[in-house]
Amino acid sequence: MPLDRKDLLDLDDFSSDEIMLLLETTSAMAEILSRPIRRVPTLRGKTIVNMFYEASTRTRSSFELAAKNLSADLVNVSASQSSVEKGESLVDTMRTLLALGADMIVMRHWEAGAPYLAATQVQASVINAGDGWHAHPSQALLDLYTVQKRIGRIEGIKLAIVGDILHSRVARSNIWGFGKLGAHVTLCGPPTLLPPAVLDAYETLPNLTLSYDLDEALQDADAVMMLRLQRERMAGGLLPSLREYSARFGLNRERMGRAKANALIMHPGPMNQGVEITPELAYSVQSVIEEQVAHGVAVRMAIFYLLAGTAERLA
Ligand code: CP
């Protein structure tokens, strides 16, 4: 089955079959990465631009490695070192990248919706690498791949997503991804970071619940995804204190005992160790946090591969 899409903006309008195609293609890419020589000529002659308006370590580096492993030409552009600093608009920047020959543009932006606007302006494929609080689909795909590889399935598993749900694009894309593949997802956090209205967007997902009690959310969980407190996005007054947040919503060894034995501990990074998770758990045998990062390369190779195929068919 081909992926008949120009862009990857979020998983909300992806079918479960399309998500499975991405995960199966990721497996094929992981096989390439296990070879002594990891590079294949699949995207030779294609130009990919990493256009990052916001800081990133994992996402940017793994998109870069993915492009290089597929033999694409890669250009890294940071907004802070580009003509964006001189006031160039998003649309003009996109048109400039297209004029320079970009076939695909990977975009991270602080504004929700910026990659959607870009996608309407250029024939190039646009891949959302995180837009504001809204979506981070490649992160969700690598999280799905990590769980599927470790547990063997997504359908029917119990996943707790814990922390600053309000500001989390990772949580939003994961709710779509895990929900569409049949997982039971419980969102957990303090009411200020998990207003009930968060659920309104997901009426089509029957297995999504909300809890303000971490012990309840962890009960019999197969996987726990801890989220960073995004203090840079908080207006203030959302938390009494970090100490109280950590006492109520921080993951520690004792609390983890409520989840299933060998339940996976996940975190998209970057972590605030000692706030949402203890260092002991972050580096425990149950932690798959570094696996998540490692799988990011294969997932992003799969995204490039499938979108390039579509772009060629649609051209
Ligand atoms: N998980 C994630 O998006 O990390 P970076 O901000 O380092 O890319």
Side-chain angles (χ1 to χ4, degrees), residues 55-60 108 136 139 169-170 268-270:
S56 167
T57 301
R58 294 151 197 79
T59 311
R60 181 177 174 144
R108 172 167 287 190
H136 195 348
Q139 176 71 44
R169 56 195 177 207
V170 173

Side-chain angles (χ1 to χ4, degrees), residues 10-69:
D10 196 6
L11 299 183
D12 57 349
D13 63 346
F14 271 61
S15 67
S16 54
D17 283 348
E18 287 177 304
I19 296 172
M20 287 309 296
L21 174 66
L22 277 153
L23 298 183
E24 283 156 17
T25 309
T26 298
S27 276
M29 297 299 159
E31 189 278 316
I32 292 171
L33 293 180
S34 71
R35 297 176 191 168
I37 296 174
R38 298 164 157 218
R39 189 161 293 199
V40 290
T42 313
L43 294 189
R44 186 171 289 153
K46 298 283 182 197
T47 300
I48 296 175
V49 178
N50 259 347
M51 182 75 221
F52 276 60
Y53 289 79
E54 198 186 69
S56 167
T57 301
R58 294 151 197 79
T59 311
R60 181 177 174 144
S61 309
S62 56
F63 270 117
E64 179 167 349
L65 286 167
K68 288 178 173 168
N69 289 339

Side-chain angles (χ1 to χ4, degrees), residues 66-109:
K68 288 178 173 168
N69 289 339
L70 293 172
S71 303
D73 295 320
L74 178 92
V75 180
N76 275 309
V77 185
S78 291
S80 60
Q81 290 166 350
S82 74
S83 291
V84 172
E85 285 289 289
K86 301 174 192 164
E88 186 169 63
S89 73
L90 177 71
V91 170
D92 281 347
T93 301
M94 290 302 111
R95 289 181 179 206
T96 301
L97 297 178
L98 193 67
L100 290 169
D103 295 294
M104 296 192 221
I105 299 170
V106 178
M107 180 186 284
R108 172 167 287 190
H109 204 288

